[in-house]
Amino acid sequence: MNRGDAGAHWENWSGSQRHRARLVTPRSVDEVVTTLREAAAAGLELRCVGSGHSFVPFWGDGVILSLDRLEGVLSVDAPACRATIGAGTKLHALGPELWERGLSLPQQGDIDRQSLAGALATGTHGTGRRLPNLSAYLRAVTLVTAGGDLVVLTPDDGDRFAAARISLGLLGVVVDVTLELLPAFHLHERMWESPVEECGALLDELVAENRHFEFFWTPRDDRCEMKALNPADAEQAVAAGEYVAPAYRVFPSERNIRFNEMEYCVPLEAGWDCFAELRELLLARFPRLPWPIEFRTLAADDALMSTTAGRDSVTLSVHQGVERDYRPLFDAAEAVFRNHGGRPHWGKLHSLGAAELGGLYPGHARFCEIRREMDPKGLFLNDWLRARFGG
């Protein structure tokens, strides 16, 4: 390897992952191909990074390939509401670029610091009973395989495309993606507080009546902070404290304090019971925790490694500040999630191995087969990933 910063210190957004690795930031697809071939020849593992907003051990001490220079809206098919976008484009930059072209993402999470490829590869999502995660809007993905070949996958490629939609970076280096979008729209944000019992009584109605609904709960307050987003006219009058703006500005929340996170996805019908058990746990053992449980809904899809594969779901997440040991809280919460058939979010901390994942994800075995076909020598594996997907 003759390019990149050899042995540079690198860490992810929360600081939970730190590595001495060769950092390479290619400016073109040709440079991606060269980097892959050099890493393979040197016997080094290679992992990609967007903004490093995942919390799990995705990276290692070999080569870390940054997607930062593979960015921007590359082309737009306005009549079809589709755009091809560089893999390293950050979500907070993508929103304004699409807006200028009269388009919006149909769905987005409440953090917009991630790269587009990273958000797709980990199954990042927002909330909405009839809305799937962001990868469900993928219509084509261009990647460089471990052998240095440029491959474009579309729905016509069957299981390979279903694997590529949420790939954890295991099938190749994604260089651009094509997404199905919506005409640009505004959202109206309304927030209010509710007692837990009232939230539970009204939950089904609130989820059904709002395009996006979620709530946050902390043991310190033992109340639910409710949040609803719905399409709106730009000039719509709203009550004091409410908000109407372009969707890309309303979707995200500002997160200035760093944290680590665990999130699991449970069947829709188990959502409230799982929350209630988590609430009992936190009130009893972590009553001063200032970080919330976040409760969101998500529609089923059919990506092989999707947390919502084959089932409408509720996602529940717990957080801990980076200055504290997250393990006591996360270990206790994970036991609750598993009581309700939860599947872990791929970018968030969890302890499950291959056998447990195989029992939770119907597509796990097929995904591992495709990974072996596309990367037989394991260029894109590290020890943590090998234990879960290496076969």
Side-chain angles (χ1 to χ4, degrees):
M1 297 278 296
N2 54 21
R3 295 177 299 110
D5 186 0
H9 172 76
W10 179 88
E11 65 181 49
N12 68 338
W13 178 81
S14 73
S16 63
Q17 306 300 324
R18 296 181 174 91
H19 299 283
R20 301 287 296 183
R22 184 178 295 275
L23 304 179
V24 182
T25 307
R27 293 165 293 186
S28 67
V29 173
D30 286 344
E31 290 188 5
V32 172
V33 172
T34 299
T35 301
L36 263 64
R37 288 176 173 167
E38 291 179 350
L44 298 173
E45 63 190 34
L46 183 146
R47 295 293 300 162
C48 288
V49 65
S51 60
H53 217 285
S54 291
F55 304 96
V56 296
F58 278 153
W59 305 280
D61 297 329
V63 178
I64 294 178
L65 187 153
S66 170
L67 300 171
D68 280 355
R69 293 181 180 175
L70 306 177
E71 60 178 347
V73 176
L74 306 179
S75 65
V76 171
D77 181 346
C81 279
R82 292 188 179 188
T84 299
I85 305 157
T89 307
K90 304 301 185 288
L91 294 180
H92 64 85
L94 178 59
E97 283 199 60
L98 292 177
W99 190 265
E100 290 176 2
R101 294 161 171 84
L103 298 167
S104 290
L105 289 172
Q107 169 74 298
Q108 194 175 323
D110 64 355
I111 296 176
D112 63 0
R113 301 294 102 180
Q114 305 100 324
S115 70
L116 179 57
L120 294 168
T122 55
T124 294
H125 60 88
T127 185
R129 175 68 177 81
R130 291 169 290 279
L131 296 167
N133 65 51
L134 188 58
S135 77
Y137 302 99
L138 188 67
R139 295 298 173 262
V141 55
T142 304
L143 52 82
V144 181
T145 68
D149 299 317
L150 196 65
V151 174
V152 179
L153 297 175
T154 71
D156 291 340
D157 292 293
D159 282 356
R160 283 203 169 196
F161 182 73
R165 279 170 45 197
I166 299 177
S167 70
L168 292 82
L170 289 169
L171 306 185
V173 176
V174 175
V175 294
D176 65 57
V177 301
T178 299
L179 294 180
E180 184 171 325
L181 306 166
L182 289 178
F185 64 99
H186 289 73
L187 283 173
H188 169 211
E189 176 184 284
R190 183 169 73 95
M191 298 184 70
W192 71 101
E193 282 195 354
S194 170
V196 173
E197 294 75 15
E198 181 178 299
C199 176
L202 297 177
L203 183 64
D204 289 347
E205 177 182 334
L206 290 165
V207 167
E209 292 182 354
N210 293 283
R211 187 178 194 266
H212 309 269
F213 173 77
E214 64 185 306
F215 71 83
F216 303 84
W217 174 90
T218 59
R220 189 170 61 179
D221 302 321
D222 197 22
R223 291 178 64 82
C224 297
E225 182 179 349
M226 319 279 265
K227 181 176 180 179
L229 308 179
N230 287 291
D233 296 328
E235 306 302 322
Q236 178 177 319
V238 296
E242 297 181 10
Y243 181 46
V244 172
Y248 73 86
R249 288 171 48 194
V250 179
F251 277 130
S253 304
E254 199 162 329
R255 302 287 184 93
N256 294 320
I257 302 174
R258 301 201 176 209
F259 55 85
N260 287 299
E261 184 175 0
M262 170 178 281
E263 177 182 294
Y264 269 70
C265 191
V266 302
L268 180 69
E269 59 275 13
W272 183 260
D273 288 344
C274 186
F275 164 71
E277 189 174 346
L278 284 171
R279 176 176 175 246
E280 289 182 10
L281 168 73
L282 268 60
L283 287 172
R285 294 183 51 188
F286 306 94
R288 297 173 60 84
L289 182 73
W291 295 91
I293 293 175
E294 186 174 7
F295 182 110
R296 293 180 283 180
T297 56
L298 200 55
D301 68 46
D302 58 359
L304 292 182
M305 295 311 301
S306 175
T307 57
T308 57
R311 68 187 197 191
D312 294 334
S313 301
V314 164
T315 70
L316 293 135
S317 57
V318 293
H319 310 73
Q320 183 60 276
V322 297
E323 75 283 359
R324 293 184 178 273
D325 182 0
Y326 58 77
R327 287 170 296 184
L329 171 63
F330 288 9
D331 289 351
E334 189 169 46
V336 174
F337 292 135
R338 297 195 66 189
N339 286 345
H340 298 273
R343 297 169 177 166
H345 185 299
W346 293 116
K348 315 290 175 72
L349 291 160
H350 69 89
S351 68
L352 305 192
E356 294 138 318
L357 295 172
L360 290 168
Y361 290 86
H364 181 266
R366 180 64 180 132
F367 179 86
C368 291
E369 289 177 3
I370 293 168
R371 188 213 62 76
R372 287 193 296 272
E373 292 167 4
M374 297 186 70
D375 180 20
K377 296 183 179 179
L379 175 64
F380 303 120
L381 290 172
N382 62 17
D383 289 344
W384 189 85
L385 291 162
R386 187 174 289 107
R388 290 156 179 81
F389 301 100

